[in-house]
Amino acid sequence: MQHAQGTVVVTGGSRGIGAAVVQALAARGVPTCFSYVTRREAAEVVAEQAAELGTPVKAVRADVSSEADVRRLFAEAEQLGPVTGLVNNAGVNAPQARVVDIDVARVRRLMEVNVVGAFLCAREAVTRMARSGGGVVVNVSSRAAVLGSAGEYVDYAASKAAVDALTVGLAREVAEQGIRVVGVRPGLIRTDIHASAGDPGRVERLQRSVPMGRGGEASEVAEAVVWLLSDAASYVTGTTLDVSGGR
Ligand code: NAP
């Protein structure tokens, strides 16, 4: 699989799916700059493991919901070379609740990180890619965008549906500039996000509802992301790939 020469920005690379993407890119020699917010030590471990593969990798503390932080993240990334890829992966969820019980501060926070963050990073990325002749944006959505997450987190599902619309609309805006915009919709993937939302046993509890009968691994999502970033996916844009074992 050929990757464009240049740097890939991965948001939320200190853990889970983002860390697996950083690892998969480093294994292919793609220079990568990733962000984290709270877990500096975990970020350093990811960066060290990637550096052991001989690939330039940089970890930057940057909250994707902060415009100033996002600008700084891209400025740091450019020091490794022109930005030709973005993986809009940083995302948060919240404890299970019905819509009638959800407070507005929670909805705002989910939208700030999952939607505003994705827009800010996409804007910074395509501005640079248009100047340097093209690139690829991969948005990490969720099967929740389609399933709706009733009784769990409809607000999170709605934030991911917004991400899917960003993929379709932005792809059409920038296609002529040599920029592809695509997405992945992970299903039940074994990462910390479930414990962070107060339900560490979620994958084990629900995995029988997956046609393939198991939860997925972060590396399985990362492989789809890496393919979408590569020239092997050169005619794929404005679409989102389910990586969910059929669920
Ligand atoms: P995770 O293990 O909880 O990791 C989240 C990552 O995002 C961490 O690196 C975290 O940084 C970072 N992050 C959180 N808030 C941020 C912010 N405001 N600015 C920058 N970075 C931020 O999550 P994951 O399961 O790997 O999820 C990755 C993406 O996949 C998310 O968009 C999620 O919605 C989506 N997804 C996951 C699943 C699943 O089952 N796991 C399913 C569907 C979709 P720190 O480590 O510093 O906190």
Side-chain angles (χ1 to χ4, degrees):
M1 256 189 289
Q2 272 294 110
H3 282 88
Q5 298 293 313
T7 304
V8 175
V9 173
V10 179
T11 63
S14 48
R15 291 183 279 150
I17 293 168
V21 171
V22 172
Q23 199 63 28
L25 288 171
R28 289 160 175 87
V30 180
T32 304
C33 182
F34 71 92
S35 71
Y36 65 95
V37 261
T38 54
R39 312 279 177 104
R40 175 189 286 273
E41 281 178 16
E44 281 168 1
V45 171
V46 172
E48 278 162 22
Q49 285 172 346
E52 278 168 20
L53 298 166
T55 306
V57 173
K58 201 183 219 183
V60 176
R61 207 213 71 82
D63 184 332
V64 293
S65 67
S66 155
E67 193 167 12
D69 280 14
V70 169
R71 286 217 164 99
R72 190 168 42 77
L73 171 64
F74 278 82
E76 293 268 358
E78 276 183 316
Q79 290 175 6
L80 297 179
V83 174
T84 55
L86 164 66
V87 183
N88 246 334
N89 166 77
V92 288
N93 203 346
Q96 293 180 7
R98 292 169 65 84
V99 172
V100 287
D101 298 318
I102 289 176
D103 65 79
V104 74
R106 159 186 160 146
V107 181
R108 289 211 167 100
R109 183 66 192 148
L110 286 179
M111 297 298 165
E112 281 283 327
V113 176
N114 297 355
V115 183
V116 177
F119 267 80
L120 286 175
C121 293
R123 187 190 66 188
E124 293 305 309
V126 299
T127 303
R128 287 166 173 79
M129 291 170 184
R131 282 200 301 258
S132 61
V136 187
V137 175
V138 181
N139 292 322
V140 179
S141 171
S142 169
R143 278 296 290 163
V146 178
L147 300 173
S149 303
E152 289 197 309
Y153 18 69
V154 175
D155 46 359
Y156 170 80
S159 76
K160 293 300 188 177
V163 168
D164 285 356
L166 170 65
T167 299
V168 175
L170 182 61
R172 292 175 184 190
E173 284 187 2
V174 298
E176 284 188 339
Q177 292 162 290
I179 303 169
R180 294 187 295 109
V181 184
V182 288
V184 290
R185 272 188 220 99
L188 286 169
I189 310 298
R190 274 179 236 287
T191 72
D192 291 349
I193 200 169
H194 310 289
S196 302
D199 189 2
R202 183 164 180 267
V203 175
E204 279 62 38
R205 197 177 69 251
L206 295 178
Q207 62 187 357
R208 263 191 255 137
S209 67
V210 179
M212 285 180 73
R214 64 173 178 87
E217 302 299 331
S219 60
E220 296 181 289
V221 182
E223 288 300 318
V225 170
V226 164
W227 176 73
L228 286 165
L229 282 171
S230 78
D231 291 344
S234 55
Y235 201 52
V236 181
T237 197
T239 191
T240 298
L241 177 66
D242 291 335
V243 185
S244 62
R247 184 173 186 260

